[in-house]
């Protein structure tokens, strides 16, 4: 059974600091990984995806993937209060599979 | 780009009635659409995957006769909750994907069954 694990938090980070969110997955067949941000009562919005080992940067966000360790992370630089949300990690097995989501990490950026 | 809409955004219905939720990709053709359900303080759970013109693939534990999915075109998928009951009250979210691109989510439909 595919599982994606995240620490539910809350993770509290001061404004301007780097927020580090982590995720592990059980299915070695998972090919692609996604980070979504979800505000309370809203649907998820895509931040970025990664499918190759290493780092991928997009603005203030950096996703990291280590397939050997089955580990995915998201770094948010220069954290802003508006980054406060639940961050969902999801894995996809390729083809037409849907996403397997973790339970999300609640991030709080303290002004 | 990559805008997905859902309608209605919220619905309240009586137990035993059926509710239809529409999911549309507005600026791209979605080869695959997905339906998720999210209960309060829980993560999204995939219900089914649908490809245009073919039958939906349901996840284990999801009743296909209760949750009817139709993917009539490359821009429209519908989910019908038949004979809804209070335990079906949830946040239903669709997503759409074009080929190998990421999934983009609709804004969700909050269903409350009285």
């Amino acid at each position: 059974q595919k599982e994606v694990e995240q620490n539910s938090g809350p993770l509290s980070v001061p404004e301007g600091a780097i927020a580090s969110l982590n995720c592990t997955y059980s299915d070695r067949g998972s090919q692609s990984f996604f980070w979504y941000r979800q505000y309370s009562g809203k649907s998820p919005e895509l931040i970025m995806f990664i499918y190759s080992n290493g780092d991928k940067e997009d603005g203030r966000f950096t996703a990291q993937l280590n397939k050997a360790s089955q580990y995915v992370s998201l770094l948010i630089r220069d954290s802003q209060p508006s980054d406060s949300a639940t961050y969902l990690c999801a894995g996809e097995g390729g083809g037409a599979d849907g996403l397997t989501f973790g339970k999300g990490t609640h991030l709080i950026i303290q002004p | 780009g990559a805008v997905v809409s859902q309608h209605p955004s919220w619905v309240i219905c009586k137990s035993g009635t059926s509710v239809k939720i529409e999911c549309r990709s507005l600026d791209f053709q979605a080869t695959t659409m997905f339906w998720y359900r999210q209960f309060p303080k829980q993560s999204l759970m995939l219900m089914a995957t649908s490809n245009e013109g073919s039958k939906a693939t349901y996840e284990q534990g999801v009743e296909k006769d209760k949750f009817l999915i139709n993917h009539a075109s490359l821009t429209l998928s519908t989910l019908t909750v038949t004979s809804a009951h209070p335990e079906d009250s949830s946040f239903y979210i669709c997503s759409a994907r074009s080929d190998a691109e990421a999934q983009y989510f609709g804004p969700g439909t909050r269903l409350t069954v009285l």
Side-chain angles (χ1 to χ4, degrees), chain B residues 57-114:
Chain B
T57 302
Y58 290 82
E59 294 299 297
Q60 191 172 7
V62 178
E63 300 174 57
K64 62 180 180 181
D65 294 331
K66 180 171 183 62
F67 299 98
L68 303 178
I69 292 172
N70 183 279
H71 194 157
S73 74
L74 286 172
T75 59
L76 173 64
S77 177
T78 61
L79 167 68
T80 301
V81 183
T82 62
S83 187
H85 291 284
E87 59 266 29
D88 298 322
S89 299
S90 187
F91 191 38
Y92 291 86
I93 312 173
C94 74
S95 71
R97 183 177 67 187
S98 173
D99 294 329
E101 297 292 318
Q103 291 184 33
Y104 294 91
F105 284 86
T109 297
R110 193 163 300 281
L111 170 64
T112 301
V113 184
L114 302 177

Side-chain angles (χ1 to χ4, degrees), chain A residues 72-98:
Chain A
V72 193
S73 67
L74 178 70
L75 300 178
I76 306 175
R77 289 181 298 280
D78 189 23
S79 299
Q80 303 297 310
S82 59
D83 293 327
S84 298
T86 296
Y87 288 79
L88 301 170
C89 171
E92 184 176 53
D97 290 345

Side-chain angles (χ1 to χ4, degrees), chain A residues 36 38 43 92 95 99 101-102, chain B residues 34 36 38 43 97 103 105-106:
Chain A
Y36 288 88
Q38 186 175 28
S43 72
E92 184 176 53
L99 295 171
F101 280 89
Chain B
F34 305 85
Y36 295 83
Q38 186 177 34
S43 193
R97 183 177 67 187
Q103 291 184 33
F105 284 86

